[in-house]
Amino acid sequence: MIDFGFLTPPRLESSGRSLDEITHVAISHLHADHIGGLEELAFVSRFVHDQKPTLLLPPKLGHDLWEHSLRGGLEWV
């Protein structure tokens, strides 16, 4: 999948798809409409499906994604 915005989980559900089908996500940039659903994907993948999706992104984006968007909710998971 390319990007995973905050509307992605409900749109997947309404189309009959499941979060466990998402194994890889390519991140284009760090706006909320492109990354806002990643925390939900991480929780559902980890605690419901016992899997971990692969994020595909440049190293600099990975650092910023973690430090400025995901760390607060996922650091202790």
Side-chain angles (χ1 to χ4, degrees):
M1 173 162 284
I2 298 175
D3 293 328
F4 205 86
F6 52 88
L7 293 177
T8 303
R11 286 183 176 162
L12 281 171
E13 185 178 323
S14 70
S15 68
R17 307 297 297 257
S18 172
L19 288 178
D20 70 323
E21 297 178 61
I22 308 303
T23 60
H24 293 74
V25 180
I27 304 298
S28 65
H29 62 283
L30 302 183
H31 291 162
D33 61 329
H34 292 260
I35 64 162
L38 288 176
E39 188 172 327
E40 181 176 351
L41 177 64
F43 276 112
V44 171
S45 294
R46 168 80 164 85
F47 295 112
V48 176
H49 304 295
D50 194 31
Q51 62 188 30
K52 183 178 178 181
T54 300
L55 296 182
L56 307 169
L57 64 167
K60 171 71 167 105
L61 275 186
H63 175 268
D64 290 347
L65 175 64
W66 178 252
E67 290 297 325
H68 303 295
S69 298
L70 298 177
R71 184 177 182 181
L74 297 174
E75 185 169 31
W76 304 108
V77 174

